[in-house]
């Protein structure tokens, strides 16, 4: 059951990330054609205004599809693109603060310090620590872990403890925010960097599509590599 809870938590946090993009789009007036929880074939949904809200077959993930028809995302003003890109990571940071607030309130009672001040401080400290550890991933890629590994390790750690599950959600939220803010296409940070570079030197905009395709290929390869590492770790633990 604990492994299922961790998997559902990951799915929920990714949905939270996409909801952040959705709310940011609404805030700056970017029309949205579709907000999907999950990928793949549509299982259920409804339409409200011009936006289709759907639940899709593959639960771990989701996406927000702007209704831009032939203009393309690059036709939007830079300010709107930056706000849209920041919406996802900021929603995960907010999710981390909320989880820490729940933990503090349940353990120490309701107070301004426990519900807001300390969670903000803790989120900042954890974020700073994770950012400083990013170079170690490049020097030691064997530390990488994918969803399989996170579910396996998280399930063992969480057990039946809601507090441990919330602590795990804090770490996963901050990880998602940092990962997506890396200046690599097609991540949110990469979209911001490309938008700024295109503003400074418009011809660089031609590189956005090939760089995004290359980025997707690299990310997929990294996910496969991390998943293979996870499987080997799990197999080794079962043998020993």
């Amino acid at each position: 059951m604990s492994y299922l809870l961790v998997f559902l938590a990951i799915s929920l946090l990714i949905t939270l990330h996409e909801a952040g993009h959705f709310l940011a789009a609404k805030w700056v007036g970017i029309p949205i054609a579709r907000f999907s929880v999950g990928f793949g074939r549509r299982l259920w949904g409804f339409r409200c205004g011009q936006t289709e809200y759907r639940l899709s077959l593959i639960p771990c993930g989701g996406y927000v599809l702007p209704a831009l028809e032939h203009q393309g995302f690059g036709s939007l003003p830079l300010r709107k693109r930056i706000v849209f890109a920041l919406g996802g990571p900021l929603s995960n940071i907010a999710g981390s603060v909320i989880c820490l607030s729940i933990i503090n309130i349940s353990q120490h009672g309701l107070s301004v310090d426990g519900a807001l001040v300390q969670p903000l401080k803790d989120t900042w400290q954890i974020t700073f620590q994770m950012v400083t550890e990013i170079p170690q991933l490049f020097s030691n890629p064997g530390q990488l872990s994918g969803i399989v590994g996170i579910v396996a390790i998280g399930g063992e750690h969480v057990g039946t403890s809601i507090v441990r599950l919330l602590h795990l959600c804090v770490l996963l939220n901050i990880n998602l925010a940092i990962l997506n803010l890396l200046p690599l296409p097609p991540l949110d940070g990469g979209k911001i960097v490309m938008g700024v570079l295109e503003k400074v030197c418009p011809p660089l905009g031609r590189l956005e599509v090939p760089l995004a395709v290359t980025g997707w290929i690299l990310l997929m390869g990294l996910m496969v590599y991390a998943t293979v590492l996870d499987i080997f770790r799990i197999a080794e633990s079962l043998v020993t």
Side-chain angles (χ1 to χ4, degrees):
M1 179 61 72
S2 60
Y3 299 102
L4 178 60
L5 284 176
V6 172
F7 178 78
L8 291 175
I10 294 172
S11 300
L12 178 62
L13 299 186
I14 296 175
T15 301
L16 174 64
H17 181 91
E18 296 304 323
H21 285 309
F22 177 78
L23 292 176
K26 290 293 186 181
W27 184 34
V28 295
I30 300 175
I32 299 298
R34 182 183 302 156
F35 176 50
S36 176
V37 177
F39 292 104
R41 186 169 64 87
R42 178 182 184 273
L43 296 178
W44 176 83
F46 64 94
R47 181 172 293 276
C48 182
Q50 69 181 127
T51 305
E52 177 197 9
Y53 300 85
R54 65 158 63 178
L55 181 66
S56 300
L57 180 62
I58 304 173
C60 193
Y63 62 91
V64 175
L65 180 64
L68 298 175
E69 297 181 355
H70 302 295
Q71 303 103 310
F73 191 71
S75 65
L76 293 171
L78 179 59
R79 178 185 66 86
K80 291 188 176 184
R81 283 184 278 166
I82 291 177
V83 171
F84 180 79
L86 289 176
L90 288 179
S91 68
N92 286 125
I93 294 297
S96 170
V97 174
I98 292 171
C99 288
L100 287 169
S101 297
I102 295 172
I103 293 171
N104 287 343
I105 291 172
S106 65
Q107 294 180 338
H108 307 294
L110 180 61
S111 68
V112 175
D113 183 73
L116 183 60
V117 178
Q118 196 58 46
L120 286 170
K121 289 181 179 178
D122 291 342
T123 296
W124 165 252
Q125 291 175 351
I126 297 170
T127 302
F128 180 77
Q129 181 180 354
M130 287 186 178
V131 170
T132 59
E133 292 176 354
I134 289 177
Q136 297 180 19
L137 293 177
F138 293 96
S139 60
N140 187 9
Q143 295 180 346
L144 288 172
S145 185
I147 291 179
V148 173
I150 293 172
V151 171
I153 297 172
E156 291 181 3
H157 172 73
V158 168
T160 58
S161 172
I162 298 299
V163 172
R164 287 185 178 180
L165 179 62
L166 288 171
H167 275 297
L168 179 63
C169 287
V170 170
L171 299 178
L172 292 177
N173 264 313
I174 297 176
N175 263 299
L176 274 172
I178 293 173
L179 172 65
N180 278 279
L181 285 175
L182 292 177
L184 303 172
L187 300 175
D188 296 324
K191 293 175 182 177
I192 294 173
V193 170
M194 284 303 303
V196 173
L197 290 177
E198 182 183 350
K199 188 75 172 179
V200 175
C201 183
L204 290 176
R206 301 172 186 172
L207 299 176
E208 184 172 2
V209 173
L211 286 176
V213 173
T214 303
W216 273 117
I217 293 173
L218 291 174
L219 284 175
M220 294 302 296
L222 193 62
M223 290 175 60
V224 171
Y225 174 71
T227 301
V228 170
L229 286 179
D230 291 338
I231 293 172
F232 274 108
R233 291 191 192 106
I234 294 171
E236 185 178 358
S237 66
L238 291 175
V239 172
T240 57

